[in-house]
Amino acid sequence: MEARRRLRGQRHHGKGNKVRPDFERLLADVERGLIDVVVAQEWPRLERNRTDGVRVIETAQRCEILLTFAKGPDIDCTNAMGRLAADLYSAIARNEIEVKGERQSRAQLQRARQGRPPKGQRPVGYATNGDVVEHEAAAIREVFRLFAVADGTTIAGLAAALSGKEGPQVPKSVPRLPRHTRTVMIERNARRVAEGLPPKPVPDDGKWSTSTIVSILRNPRYAGYSVYTNRLDRTKNKRQTWYAQIVKDDDGEPVRGQWEPIVDELTWWRVQERLNEPSRVTNRTGSTTRKHLGSGLYRCGHCEQRVRTNGERYRCEDCGINRTRRHVDDWVLRLIRERLSRPDLADTIPTGDEPRLKAIAADIATRQAKIKRATADYDNEIIEGYDLKRVRERENTAIASLETERRALTATTDLGGVLDAEDPVTAFDDADLMIKRRVIDFFVTVKIHPHPRGSKTFNPATVEVVPKQLG
């Protein structure tokens, strides 16, 4: 039997539940009767949380071993006074850890309120000082862009693209990147070598996981928001804590970080909206691909909310309007084909003024992001319903005016070549679902009204197809 063993406590990284293999091996050896004295520098090196302290004391009592410390007295847990002393040292150690944690949290919150980059491992696309790592940022921009606007983009497809895979669901425009854990460790080893320290093992360059892609898409830092995470507050659902991370100033406005955003605000909020879709939350495939022509595109004729698919029907969750998908889609497609067959099609879609289009897009994005922020604040019970209504009315009025101007200047680059085709109707019929949805949204707003009770014949008047002003 060993006369004694020195416990060399692992460095603490701020997580009280961190697995400590040496600590577990020590307790196992004590239970097996291999140790009669445990030596540590001081009590805080022995325990990291309340559970560790209780286990040490109970094991020392049960196995009749002595606890001795380089900076403290010996403790014999086989008697009541020894166990009392151990409890006191344990409580003091935990208090020191908690006070240190609170002090660090206050410092991190202060950094966030100043808009300074948080400390810790750098996210993909940013250096530790907040500068943009351009080749990584290019991949992040494309990941956000595709997930925000492309109905056929899946999280699994994005993960495969970053991993360098190919396939029908893998977007080719996303550049391959090494796994971030590997990149970060290589960078750390370079610093260790410069400091005269030996390098640590570098993880293999495996595939990107879907959970990592979700973490990237959820991170408010990419939109330029300053963030702070209170790790002690677990009262909110995890899907909402991403919003709660955004630091607000005294006026309730998000604090902007002192770094360059990789994506614009609207793109980030559109991604959050898509990630929060009930169909994605409840399915087990992780797919957010649109599978139906009007889901999330058509609107309820009563409340203006976008309808969802429910089996073979379109349904407004708020008003209960429930319509057969096939009937509505057939009528909308018929009207779009008629619009595309007009000889004056090309004349109604002038070439745009690119600088002005960019300015309009930026203004619309900022205003739509304000609406989405207000909606998230309302969901989290930060603002009242009348505040949300006021923001929506103000910003939607401005957006409607800007969109009218944009349609008068718009080009046709995002419509899959349908409008420029020799036969636009045929090009539309041959296009994929995503392009068809864009063409419909370009020309009209579709509003679904209730079908008359008792009528078994489709009534076109119940599907309001409102042309948008193009020029």
Side-chain angles (χ1 to χ4, degrees), residues 204-252:
D204 294 333
D205 188 13
K207 65 180 182 179
W208 288 71
S209 67
T210 55
S211 61
T212 300
I213 303 303
V214 172
S215 296
I216 289 173
L217 293 173
R218 288 288 193 182
N219 193 340
R221 284 191 63 189
Y222 290 116
Y225 293 128
S226 185
V227 297
Y228 170 75
T229 303
N230 183 357
R231 302 190 182 279
L232 299 179
D233 184 5
R234 295 299 184 189
T235 60
K236 296 176 182 280
N237 180 281
K238 186 176 181 180
R239 294 180 182 277
Q240 299 300 322
T241 56
W242 295 99
Y243 306 143
Q245 286 183 22
I246 300 175
V247 179
K248 304 291 183 64
D249 61 20
D250 293 338
D251 297 325

Side-chain angles (χ1 to χ4, degrees), residues 152-431:
T153 303
T154 65
I155 291 175
L158 294 172
L162 288 174
S163 303
K165 306 295 182 181
E166 296 182 356
Q169 298 294 323
V170 180
K172 297 181 179 179
S173 59
V174 177
R176 184 191 181 282
L177 285 181
R179 284 182 63 193
H180 193 51
T181 51
R182 175 180 174 84
T183 300
V184 169
M185 184 54 70
I186 292 173
E187 294 171 349
R188 288 176 176 173
N189 278 342
R191 292 193 292 270
R192 289 179 63 85
V193 171
E195 295 171 0
L197 300 173
K200 292 186 176 182
V202 177
D204 294 333
D205 188 13
K207 65 180 182 179
W208 288 71
S209 67
T210 55
S211 61
T212 300
I213 303 303
V214 172
S215 296
I216 289 173
L217 293 173
R218 288 288 193 182
N219 193 340
R221 284 191 63 189
Y222 290 116
Y225 293 128
S226 185
V227 297
Y228 170 75
T229 303
N230 183 357
R231 302 190 182 279
L232 299 179
D233 184 5
R234 295 299 184 189
T235 60
K236 296 176 182 280
N237 180 281
K238 186 176 181 180
R239 294 180 182 277
Q240 299 300 322
T241 56
W242 295 99
Y243 306 143
Q245 286 183 22
I246 300 175
V247 179
K248 304 291 183 64
D249 61 20
D250 293 338
D251 297 325
E253 287 295 313
V255 175
R256 305 298 299 179
Q258 298 178 20
W259 58 82
E260 178 186 346
I262 290 179
V263 300
D264 61 81
E265 292 179 82
L266 178 60
T267 297
W268 188 82
W269 283 100
R270 280 177 173 167
V271 166
Q272 307 318 301
E273 189 175 62
R274 191 175 178 201
L275 288 171
N276 290 341
E277 288 180 352
S279 59
R280 180 182 181 276
V281 175
T282 56
N283 75 43
R284 294 185 178 275
T285 65
S287 173
T288 51
T289 304
R290 295 287 188 189
K291 300 178 178 64
H292 305 293
L293 189 67
S295 179
L297 177 62
Y298 301 163
R299 295 180 178 273
C300 171
H302 178 69
C303 68
E304 297 284 336
Q305 295 299 313
R306 299 183 185 274
V307 299
R308 306 292 181 184
T309 301
N310 184 11
E312 296 299 318
R313 308 180 75 84
Y314 289 126
R315 178 176 175 81
C316 174
E317 298 295 338
D318 293 337
C319 301
I321 292 177
N322 203 14
R323 299 298 305 276
T324 303
R325 284 195 295 108
R326 178 173 56 84
H327 293 162
V328 177
D329 290 346
D330 287 349
W331 178 243
V332 172
L333 291 173
R334 175 182 172 181
L335 295 180
I336 292 297
R337 291 188 184 102
E338 289 179 357
R339 181 67 183 86
L340 293 172
S341 64
R342 294 181 190 175
D344 64 343
L345 177 65
D347 296 335
T348 61
I349 309 169
T351 302
D353 177 357
E354 192 63 28
R356 179 53 186 160
L357 282 172
K358 289 183 178 179
I360 291 173
D363 198 357
I364 291 176
T366 299
R367 295 180 182 278
Q368 289 178 331
K370 288 183 179 180
I371 295 174
K372 292 184 182 296
R373 287 202 308 265
T375 302
D377 287 345
Y378 174 73
D379 290 340
N380 290 321
E381 300 181 354
I382 298 174
I383 64 174
E384 300 294 335
Y386 63 84
D387 293 319
L388 175 60
K389 183 175 183 293
R390 175 176 53 81
V391 173
R392 279 179 172 171
E393 290 179 348
R394 181 190 68 208
E395 302 303 333
N396 280 330
T397 299
I399 289 170
S401 177
L402 290 166
E403 286 184 336
T404 298
E405 182 182 358
R406 180 166 64 177
R407 282 193 293 273
L409 298 171
T410 189
T412 61
T413 53
D414 286 337
L415 302 181
V418 170
L419 305 188
D420 299 328
E422 182 177 349
D423 184 350
V425 176
T426 300
F428 175 75
D429 288 338
D430 292 342

Side-chain angles (χ1 to χ4, degrees), residues 100-170:
K100 179 181 178 182
E102 290 175 355
R103 184 170 63 249
Q104 291 174 338
S105 295
R106 288 194 297 270
Q108 291 168 359
L109 179 57
Q110 183 180 31
R111 287 180 62 90
R113 287 174 173 167
Q114 295 170 347
R116 298 164 62 191
K119 294 184 177 181
Q121 179 170 310
R122 71 175 183 87
V124 186
Y126 286 112
T128 53
N129 64 354
D131 291 343
V132 173
V133 181
E134 190 51 47
H135 74 281
E136 294 181 356
I140 296 300
R141 289 190 194 99
E142 188 63 7
V143 165
F144 270 91
R145 187 189 72 82
L146 289 174
F147 196 78
V149 304
D151 291 332
T153 303
T154 65
I155 291 175
L158 294 172
L162 288 174
S163 303
K165 306 295 182 181
E166 296 182 356
Q169 298 294 323
V170 180

